[in-house]
Amino acid sequence: SWFHYTTYYYAQGMYQRGGKYEIEGKKVIANIMLPVQARDGSWEGPSNEGGNGKIYATSLAVLGHLCPARSHCRRQIHPSCRD
């Protein structure tokens, strides 16, 4: 299970889908990620994520939170995916 990798791409996908999906995706990411954030602001990578550590986990967690802020994600919506 690649928890942080999956949550990052989930956030990106929901952002690209836009609208209600983007709003719900942002809530889901916050509900999943904030309770497991360490007191120092970092996240730990589970041991089953290939031994990736705090830097990897924190990087993906932060990027997942930023995606809805549109700071690094590009919205490329195929016409068939629009509401």
Coordinates of all heavy atoms in Angstrom, one line a residue:
S1 N 0.8 -1.2 0.0 CA 0.0 0.0 0.0 C 0.9 1.2 0.0 O 1.7 1.4 0.9 CB -0.9 0.0 1.2 OG -1.5 1.2 1.5
W2 N 0.7 2.1 -0.9 CA 1.4 3.4 -1.0 C 0.5 4.5 -0.6 O 0.0 5.2 -1.5 CB 2.0 3.5 -2.5 CG 3.0 2.5 -2.8 CD1 2.8 1.2 -3.2 CD2 4.4 2.7 -2.6 NE1 4.0 0.6 -3.3 CE2 5.0 1.5 -3.0 CE3 5.2 3.8 -2.2 CZ2 6.4 1.3 -2.9 CZ3 6.6 3.6 -2.2 CH2 7.1 2.4 -2.5
F3 N 0.3 4.6 0.7 CA -0.6 5.6 1.2 C -0.4 7.0 0.8 O -1.3 7.6 0.2 CB -0.6 5.5 2.8 CG -1.5 6.5 3.5 CD1 -2.9 6.3 3.5 CD2 -1.0 7.6 4.1 CE1 -3.7 7.2 4.1 CE2 -1.8 8.5 4.7 CZ -3.1 8.3 4.7
H4 N 0.8 7.5 1.0 CA 1.0 8.9 0.6 C 1.0 9.2 -0.9 O 0.5 10.2 -1.3 CB 2.3 9.4 1.3 CG 2.3 9.4 2.8 ND1 1.6 10.4 3.4 CD2 2.8 8.6 3.7 CE1 1.7 10.2 4.7 NE2 2.4 9.1 4.9
Y5 N 1.5 8.3 -1.6 CA 1.5 8.3 -3.1 C 0.0 8.4 -3.6 O -0.4 9.2 -4.4 CB 2.2 7.1 -3.6 CG 2.4 7.1 -5.1 CD1 3.4 7.8 -5.8 CD2 1.5 6.2 -5.9 CE1 3.5 7.7 -7.2 CE2 1.7 6.1 -7.2 CZ 2.6 6.9 -7.9 OH 2.8 6.8 -9.2
T6 N -0.8 7.5 -3.0 CA -2.2 7.4 -3.4 C -3.0 8.6 -3.0 O -3.7 9.1 -3.8 CB -2.8 6.1 -2.8 OG1 -2.1 5.0 -3.1 CG2 -4.3 6.0 -3.2
T7 N -2.8 9.1 -1.8 CA -3.5 10.3 -1.4 C -3.1 11.5 -2.3 O -4.0 12.4 -2.6 CB -3.3 10.6 0.1 OG1 -2.0 10.8 0.4 CG2 -4.0 9.6 0.9
Y8 N -1.8 11.6 -2.6 CA -1.4 12.7 -3.5 C -2.1 12.7 -4.8 O -2.7 13.7 -5.3 CB 0.1 12.7 -3.7 CG 0.6 13.6 -4.8 CD1 0.5 15.0 -4.7 CD2 1.0 13.1 -6.0 CE1 0.9 15.9 -5.7 CE2 1.4 14.0 -7.0 CZ 1.3 15.3 -6.8 OH 1.7 16.2 -7.9
Y9 N -2.1 11.5 -5.5 CA -2.8 11.4 -6.8 C -4.3 11.5 -6.7 O -5.0 11.9 -7.6 CB -2.3 10.2 -7.5 CG -1.0 10.5 -8.2 CD1 0.2 10.0 -7.6 CD2 -0.9 11.3 -9.3 CE1 1.4 10.3 -8.2 CE2 0.3 11.6 -9.9 CZ 1.5 11.2 -9.3 OH 2.7 11.5 -9.9
Y10 N -4.9 11.1 -5.6 CA -6.3 11.2 -5.4 C -6.6 12.7 -5.4 O -7.5 13.2 -6.0 CB -6.7 10.6 -4.0 CG -8.2 11.0 -3.7 CD1 -9.2 10.3 -4.2 CD2 -8.4 12.0 -2.7 CE1 -10.5 10.7 -3.9 CE2 -9.7 12.3 -2.4 CZ -10.7 11.7 -3.0 OH -12.0 12.0 -2.6
A11 N -5.9 13.5 -4.6 CA -6.1 15.0 -4.5 C -5.9 15.6 -5.9 O -6.7 16.5 -6.3 CB -5.1 15.6 -3.5
Q12 N -4.9 15.2 -6.6 CA -4.7 15.8 -7.9 C -5.9 15.4 -8.9 O -6.4 16.3 -9.6 CB -3.4 15.2 -8.5 CG -2.8 16.1 -9.6 CD -1.4 15.6 -10.0 OE1 -1.2 14.4 -10.2 NE2 -0.5 16.5 -10.0
G13 N -6.3 14.2 -8.8 CA -7.5 13.8 -9.7 C -8.7 14.5 -9.4 O -9.5 14.9 -10.3
M14 N -9.0 14.7 -8.1 CA -10.2 15.4 -7.7 C -10.2 16.8 -8.1 O -11.1 17.4 -8.5 CB -10.5 15.2 -6.2 CG -10.8 13.8 -5.7 SD -12.3 13.1 -6.5 CE -11.6 12.1 -7.8
Y15 N -9.0 17.4 -8.0 CA -8.8 18.8 -8.4 C -9.1 18.9 -9.9 O -9.8 19.8 -10.4 CB -7.4 19.3 -8.1 CG -7.0 20.6 -8.8 CD1 -7.6 21.8 -8.4 CD2 -6.2 20.5 -9.9 CE1 -7.3 22.9 -9.1 CE2 -5.9 21.7 -10.6 CZ -6.5 22.9 -10.2 OH -6.2 24.0 -10.9
Q16 N -8.5 18.0 -10.7 CA -8.7 18.1 -12.1 C -10.1 17.9 -12.5 O -10.6 18.4 -13.5 CB -7.7 17.1 -12.8 CG -6.3 17.6 -12.7 CD -5.4 16.8 -13.6 OE1 -5.8 16.2 -14.5 NE2 -4.1 17.0 -13.4
R17 N -10.8 17.0 -11.8 CA -12.2 16.8 -12.0 C -13.0 18.1 -11.8 O -14.0 18.4 -12.5 CB -12.7 15.6 -11.2 CG -14.1 15.2 -11.5 CD -14.3 14.6 -12.9 NE -15.6 14.1 -13.0 CZ -16.6 14.7 -13.6 NH1 -16.4 15.9 -14.2 NH2 -17.8 14.2 -13.7
G18 N -12.7 18.8 -10.8 CA -13.3 20.1 -10.5 C -14.6 20.0 -9.8 O -15.1 18.9 -9.5
G19 N -15.2 21.2 -9.5 CA -16.5 21.3 -9.0 C -16.7 20.6 -7.7 O -15.9 20.7 -6.8
K20 N -17.8 19.8 -7.5 CA -18.1 19.1 -6.3 C -17.1 18.1 -6.0 O -16.8 17.8 -4.8 CB -19.5 18.5 -6.4 CG -19.6 17.4 -7.4 CD -21.0 16.9 -7.5 CE -21.1 15.8 -8.5 NZ -22.5 15.3 -8.7
Y21 N -16.4 17.5 -7.0 CA -15.4 16.5 -6.7 C -14.1 17.2 -6.1 O -13.5 16.6 -5.2 CB -15.0 15.8 -8.0 CG -16.2 15.2 -8.7 CD1 -16.8 15.8 -9.7 CD2 -16.6 13.9 -8.3 CE1 -17.9 15.2 -10.3 CE2 -17.7 13.3 -8.9 CZ -18.4 14.0 -9.9 OH -19.4 13.4 -10.5
E22 N -13.8 18.3 -6.5 CA -12.7 19.1 -6.0 C -12.9 19.4 -4.5 O -12.1 19.2 -3.6 CB -12.4 20.3 -6.7 CG -11.3 21.2 -6.2 CD -11.0 22.4 -7.0 OE1 -11.7 22.7 -8.0 OE2 -10.1 23.2 -6.6
I23 N -14.1 19.9 -4.2 CA -14.5 20.3 -2.8 C -14.5 19.0 -1.9 O -13.9 19.1 -0.8 CB -15.9 20.9 -2.8 CG1 -15.8 22.3 -3.6 CG2 -16.4 21.1 -1.4 CD1 -17.2 22.9 -3.9
E24 N -15.1 17.9 -2.4 CA -15.1 16.7 -1.6 C -13.7 16.1 -1.4 O -13.4 15.7 -0.3 CB -16.1 15.7 -2.2 CG -16.2 14.4 -1.4 CD -16.8 14.6 0.0 OE1 -17.6 15.6 0.2 OE2 -16.6 13.8 0.8
G25 N -12.9 16.2 -2.5 CA -11.6 15.7 -2.4 C -10.7 16.4 -1.3 O -10.0 15.8 -0.6
K26 N -10.9 17.7 -1.3 CA -10.2 18.5 -0.3 C -10.6 18.1 1.1 O -9.7 18.0 2.0 CB -10.5 20.0 -0.5 CG -9.7 20.9 0.3 CD -9.9 22.4 -0.1 CE -9.1 23.3 0.8 NZ -9.3 24.7 0.5
K27 N -11.9 17.9 1.3 CA -12.3 17.4 2.7 C -11.8 16.1 3.0 O -11.3 15.8 4.2 CB -13.8 17.4 2.7 CG -14.5 18.8 2.7 CD -16.0 18.6 2.6 CE -16.7 19.9 2.3 NZ -18.1 19.8 2.2
V28 N -11.8 15.2 2.1 CA -11.3 13.8 2.3 C -9.9 13.8 2.7 O -9.4 13.2 3.7 CB -11.6 12.9 1.1 CG1 -10.8 11.6 1.2 CG2 -13.1 12.6 0.9
I29 N -9.0 14.5 1.9 CA -7.6 14.6 2.2 C -7.4 15.2 3.6 O -6.6 14.7 4.4 CB -6.9 15.4 1.1 CG1 -6.9 14.7 -0.2 CG2 -5.5 15.8 1.6 CD1 -6.1 13.3 -0.2
A30 N -8.1 16.3 3.9 CA -7.9 16.9 5.3 C -8.3 15.9 6.4 O -7.6 15.7 7.4 CB -8.7 18.1 5.4
N31 N -9.4 15.2 6.2 CA -9.9 14.2 7.2 C -9.0 13.0 7.4 O -8.9 12.5 8.4 CB -11.3 13.8 6.9 CG -12.3 14.8 7.1 OD1 -12.1 15.8 7.8 ND2 -13.4 14.7 6.4
I32 N -8.3 12.7 6.3 CA -7.4 11.5 6.4 C -6.0 11.9 6.9 O -5.4 11.2 7.7 CB -7.2 10.9 5.0 CG1 -8.5 10.2 4.5 CG2 -6.0 9.9 4.9 CD1 -8.5 9.7 3.1
M33 N -5.5 13.0 6.4 CA -4.1 13.4 6.6 C -3.9 14.2 8.0 O -2.9 13.9 8.6 CB -3.5 14.2 5.5 CG -3.5 13.5 4.2 SD -2.6 12.0 4.2 CE -1.0 12.6 4.4
L34 N -4.7 15.1 8.3 CA -4.5 15.9 9.5 C -4.4 15.1 10.8 O -3.6 15.4 11.6 CB -5.5 17.0 9.6 CG -5.3 18.1 8.4 CD1 -6.4 19.2 8.6 CD2 -3.9 18.6 8.3
P35 N -5.3 14.1 11.0 CA -5.2 13.3 12.2 C -3.9 12.5 12.4 O -3.5 12.2 13.5 CB -6.4 12.4 12.2 CG -7.3 13.0 11.3 CD -6.5 13.7 10.2
V36 N -3.2 12.2 11.3 CA -2.0 11.4 11.4 C -0.7 12.3 11.3 O 0.4 11.8 11.2 CB -1.9 10.3 10.4 CG1 -3.1 9.3 10.7 CG2 -2.0 10.8 9.0
Q37 N -0.9 13.6 11.3 CA 0.3 14.5 11.2 C 1.0 14.6 12.6 O 0.3 14.6 13.6 CB -0.2 15.9 10.8 CG 0.9 16.9 10.6 CD 0.4 18.3 10.2 OE1 -0.8 18.6 10.4 NE2 1.3 19.0 9.6
A38 N 2.3 14.5 12.6 CA 3.1 14.5 13.8 C 3.0 15.9 14.4 O 2.7 16.9 13.7 CB 4.5 14.1 13.5
R39 N 3.4 16.0 15.6 CA 3.4 17.3 16.3 C 4.3 18.3 15.7 O 4.1 19.5 15.8 CB 3.7 17.1 17.8 CG 2.6 16.4 18.5 CD 2.9 16.4 20.0 NE 2.4 17.7 20.4 CZ 2.2 18.1 21.7 NH1 2.5 17.3 22.6 NH2 1.8 19.3 22.0
D40 N 5.4 17.8 15.1 CA 6.4 18.8 14.5 C 5.9 19.2 13.1 O 6.7 19.9 12.3 CB 7.8 18.1 14.4 CG 7.9 16.9 13.5 OD1 6.9 16.5 12.9 OD2 9.0 16.4 13.5
G41 N 4.7 18.7 12.6 CA 4.2 19.1 11.3 C 4.5 18.1 10.2 O 4.1 18.3 9.1
S42 N 5.3 17.1 10.5 CA 5.7 16.1 9.5 C 4.7 15.0 9.4 O 3.8 14.9 10.3 CB 7.1 15.6 9.8 OG 7.1 14.8 11.0
W43 N 4.9 14.1 8.5 CA 4.2 12.8 8.4 C 5.2 11.7 8.3 O 6.3 11.9 7.7 CB 3.3 12.8 7.1 CG 2.0 13.5 7.3 CD1 0.8 13.0 7.7 CD2 1.8 14.9 7.0 NE1 -0.2 14.0 7.7 CE2 0.4 15.2 7.3 CE3 2.6 16.0 6.6 CZ2 -0.2 16.4 7.1 CZ3 2.0 17.2 6.5 CH2 0.6 17.4 6.7
E44 N 4.9 10.6 8.7 CA 5.8 9.4 8.6 C 5.3 8.5 7.5 O 4.1 8.4 7.3 CB 5.8 8.6 9.9 CG 6.7 9.1 11.0 CD 8.1 9.1 10.7 OE1 8.6 8.2 9.9 OE2 8.9 9.9 11.2
G45 N 6.2 7.9 6.8 CA 5.8 6.9 5.8 C 5.7 5.5 6.4 O 6.5 5.1 7.2
P46 N 4.5 4.8 6.2 CA 4.4 3.5 6.7 C 5.5 2.6 6.3 O 6.0 2.8 5.2 CB 3.0 3.0 6.2 CG 2.3 4.3 5.7 CD 3.4 5.3 5.4
S47 N 5.9 1.6 7.1 CA 7.0 0.7 6.7 C 6.7 -0.1 5.5 O 7.6 -0.5 4.8 CB 7.2 -0.2 7.9 OG 6.1 -1.0 8.1
N48 N 5.4 -0.2 5.1 CA 5.1 -1.0 3.9 C 5.2 -0.1 2.6 O 4.8 -0.5 1.6 CB 3.7 -1.6 4.0 CG 2.6 -0.6 4.2 OD1 2.8 0.6 4.3 ND2 1.4 -1.1 4.2
E49 N 5.6 1.1 2.8 CA 5.8 2.0 1.6 C 7.3 2.0 1.2 O 7.8 3.1 0.9 CB 5.3 3.5 1.9 CG 3.9 3.7 1.6 CD 3.5 5.2 1.6 OE1 3.8 5.9 0.6 OE2 2.9 5.6 2.6
G50 N 7.8 0.9 1.1 CA 9.2 0.8 0.6 C 10.2 1.4 1.5 O 11.3 1.7 1.1
G51 N 9.9 1.6 2.8 CA 10.9 2.1 3.7 C 11.1 3.6 3.5 O 12.1 4.2 4.1
N52 N 10.3 4.3 2.8 CA 10.4 5.7 2.6 C 10.1 6.4 3.9 O 9.2 6.0 4.6 CB 9.4 6.2 1.5 CG 9.8 5.6 0.1 OD1 11.0 5.7 -0.3 ND2 8.8 5.1 -0.5
G53 N 10.8 7.4 4.2 CA 10.7 8.1 5.5 C 9.9 9.3 5.5 O 9.0 9.6 4.7
K54 N 10.3 10.1 6.5 CA 9.6 11.4 6.9 C 9.6 12.4 5.7 O 8.6 13.1 5.5 CB 10.2 12.0 8.1 CG 9.4 13.1 8.7 CD 10.1 13.7 10.0 CE 9.9 12.8 11.1 NZ 10.3 13.4 12.4
I55 N 10.7 12.5 5.0 CA 10.8 13.5 4.0 C 9.9 13.2 2.8 O 9.1 14.0 2.3 CB 12.3 13.7 3.5 CG1 13.1 14.3 4.6 CG2 12.3 14.6 2.2 CD1 14.6 14.3 4.3
Y56 N 9.9 11.9 2.4 CA 9.0 11.5 1.3 C 7.5 11.7 1.7 O 6.7 12.2 1.0 CB 9.3 10.0 1.1 CG 8.2 9.3 0.3 CD1 8.1 9.4 -1.1 CD2 7.2 8.5 0.9 CE1 7.2 8.7 -1.8 CE2 6.3 7.8 0.2 CZ 6.2 7.9 -1.2 OH 5.2 7.3 -1.9
A57 N 7.2 11.2 2.9 CA 5.8 11.3 3.4 C 5.3 12.7 3.5 O 4.2 13.1 3.1 CB 5.6 10.5 4.7
T58 N 6.1 13.5 4.1 CA 5.8 14.9 4.3 C 5.6 15.7 3.0 O 4.7 16.5 2.8 CB 6.8 15.6 5.2 OG1 6.8 14.9 6.5 CG2 6.4 17.1 5.5
S59 N 6.5 15.4 2.1 CA 6.5 16.1 0.8 C 5.2 15.7 0.0 O 4.5 16.6 -0.5 CB 7.7 15.6 -0.1 OG 8.9 16.0 0.4
L60 N 4.8 14.5 0.0 CA 3.6 14.1 -0.7 C 2.3 14.6 0.1 O 1.3 15.0 -0.6 CB 3.5 12.6 -0.9 CG 4.4 12.1 -2.0 CD1 4.3 10.5 -2.1 CD2 4.1 12.7 -3.3
A61 N 2.4 14.6 1.4 CA 1.3 15.1 2.2 C 1.0 16.6 1.9 O -0.1 17.1 1.7 CB 1.5 14.9 3.7
V62 N 2.1 17.4 1.9 CA 2.0 18.8 1.6 C 1.5 19.1 0.2 O 0.6 19.9 0.0 CB 3.4 19.5 1.9 CG1 3.3 20.9 1.4 CG2 3.7 19.5 3.4
L63 N 2.1 18.4 -0.8 CA 1.6 18.5 -2.2 C 0.2 18.2 -2.3 O -0.6 18.8 -3.1 CB 2.5 17.7 -3.1 CG 3.9 18.2 -3.3 CD1 4.7 17.2 -4.1 CD2 3.9 19.6 -4.0
G64 N -0.3 17.1 -1.6 CA -1.7 16.8 -1.7 C -2.6 17.9 -1.1 O -3.7 18.1 -1.6
H65 N -2.1 18.5 -0.1 CA -2.9 19.6 0.5 C -2.9 20.9 -0.4 O -3.8 21.6 -0.4 CB -2.4 20.0 1.9 CG -2.8 19.1 3.0 ND1 -4.1 18.9 3.3 CD2 -2.1 18.2 3.7 CE1 -4.2 18.0 4.3 NE2 -2.9 17.6 4.5
L66 N -1.8 21.1 -1.1 CA -1.7 22.2 -2.0 C -2.4 22.1 -3.3 O -2.8 23.1 -3.9 CB -0.2 22.5 -2.3 CG 0.7 23.0 -1.2 CD1 2.1 23.1 -1.7 CD2 0.2 24.3 -0.7
C67 N -2.7 20.9 -3.7 CA -3.3 20.7 -5.0 C -4.6 21.5 -5.2 O -4.8 22.2 -6.1 CB -3.6 19.3 -5.3 SG -3.7 18.9 -7.0
P68 N -5.5 21.5 -4.2 CA -6.7 22.3 -4.3 C -6.4 23.8 -4.3 O -7.2 24.6 -4.8 CB -7.5 21.9 -3.1 CG -7.1 20.6 -2.7 CD -5.6 20.6 -3.0
A69 N -5.3 24.2 -3.8 CA -4.9 25.6 -3.9 C -4.4 26.1 -5.2 O -4.0 27.2 -5.5 CB -3.9 26.0 -2.8
R70 N -4.3 25.1 -6.1 CA -3.9 25.3 -7.5 C -2.4 25.8 -7.7 O -2.1 26.5 -8.7 CB -4.8 26.3 -8.2 CG -6.2 25.7 -8.3 CD -7.2 26.8 -8.8 NE -8.5 26.3 -9.0 CZ -9.4 26.3 -8.1 NH1 -9.1 26.7 -6.9 NH2 -10.6 25.8 -8.3
S71 N -1.6 25.6 -6.7 CA -0.3 26.1 -6.8 C 0.7 25.3 -7.7 O 1.7 25.8 -8.2 CB 0.3 26.2 -5.4 OG 0.4 24.9 -4.8
H72 N 0.4 24.0 -7.9 CA 1.3 23.2 -8.7 C 0.6 22.2 -9.6 O 1.2 21.6 -10.5 CB 2.2 22.4 -7.8 CG 1.6 21.3 -7.1 ND1 0.7 21.5 -6.0 CD2 1.6 20.0 -7.3 CE1 0.3 20.3 -5.6 NE2 0.8 19.4 -6.4
C73 N -0.8 22.1 -9.5 CA -1.5 21.2 -10.4 C -2.0 21.9 -11.6 O -2.3 23.1 -11.6 CB -2.7 20.6 -9.6 SG -2.2 19.7 -8.1
R74 N -2.1 21.2 -12.7 CA -2.6 21.7 -13.9 C -3.9 21.1 -14.2 O -4.1 19.9 -14.2 CB -1.7 21.5 -15.1 CG -0.3 22.2 -14.9 CD 0.6 21.8 -16.0 NE 1.9 22.3 -15.8 CZ 2.5 23.2 -16.5 NH1 1.9 23.6 -17.6 NH2 3.7 23.6 -16.2
R75 N -4.9 21.9 -14.4 CA -6.2 21.4 -14.7 C -6.3 21.1 -16.2 O -6.3 22.0 -17.0 CB -7.3 22.4 -14.3 CG -8.7 21.8 -14.4 CD -9.8 22.8 -14.0 NE -9.6 23.3 -12.7 CZ -10.4 23.1 -11.6 NH1 -11.4 22.3 -11.8 NH2 -10.1 23.6 -10.5
Q76 N -6.5 19.8 -16.5 CA -6.6 19.4 -17.9 C -7.8 18.5 -18.0 O -7.7 17.3 -17.8 CB -5.3 18.7 -18.4 CG -4.1 19.6 -18.4 CD -2.9 18.9 -18.7 OE1 -2.8 17.6 -18.7 NE2 -1.8 19.6 -19.0
I77 N -9.0 19.0 -18.2 CA -10.2 18.2 -18.1 C -10.6 17.8 -19.5 O -10.8 18.7 -20.4 CB -11.3 19.0 -17.4 CG1 -10.9 19.3 -16.0 CG2 -12.6 18.2 -17.4 CD1 -11.8 20.2 -15.2
H78 N -10.7 16.5 -19.8 CA -11.2 16.0 -21.0 C -12.7 16.4 -21.1 O -13.4 16.3 -20.1 CB -11.1 14.5 -21.1 CG -11.3 14.0 -22.5 ND1 -12.6 13.7 -22.9 CD2 -10.5 13.8 -23.5 CE1 -12.5 13.2 -24.1 NE2 -11.3 13.3 -24.5
P79 N -13.2 16.8 -22.3 CA -14.6 17.2 -22.4 C -15.6 16.2 -21.9 O -16.6 16.5 -21.4 CB -14.8 17.5 -23.9 CG -13.4 17.8 -24.4 CD -12.4 17.0 -23.5
S80 N -15.3 14.9 -22.0 CA -16.2 13.9 -21.6 C -16.3 13.8 -20.1 O -17.2 13.1 -19.6 CB -15.8 12.5 -22.2 OG -14.5 12.1 -21.6
C81 N -15.4 14.5 -19.3 CA -15.4 14.4 -17.9 C -16.1 15.6 -17.2 O -16.1 15.6 -16.0 CB -13.9 14.3 -17.4 SG -13.1 12.8 -17.9
R82 N -16.6 16.5 -18.0 CA -17.2 17.7 -17.4 C -18.6 17.3 -16.9 O -19.3 16.5 -17.5 CB -17.2 18.8 -18.4 CG -15.8 19.2 -18.7 CD -15.8 20.6 -19.5 NE -14.4 20.9 -19.6 CZ -13.8 21.1 -20.8 NH1 -14.5 21.0 -21.9 NH2 -12.6 21.5 -20.8
D83 N -19.1 18.0 -15.9 CA -20.5 17.8 -15.4 C -21.5 18.2 -16.4 O -21.4 19.0 -17.2 CB -20.7 18.7 -14.1 CG -19.9 18.1 -12.9 OD1 -19.6 16.9 -12.9 OD2 -19.5 18.9 -12.0

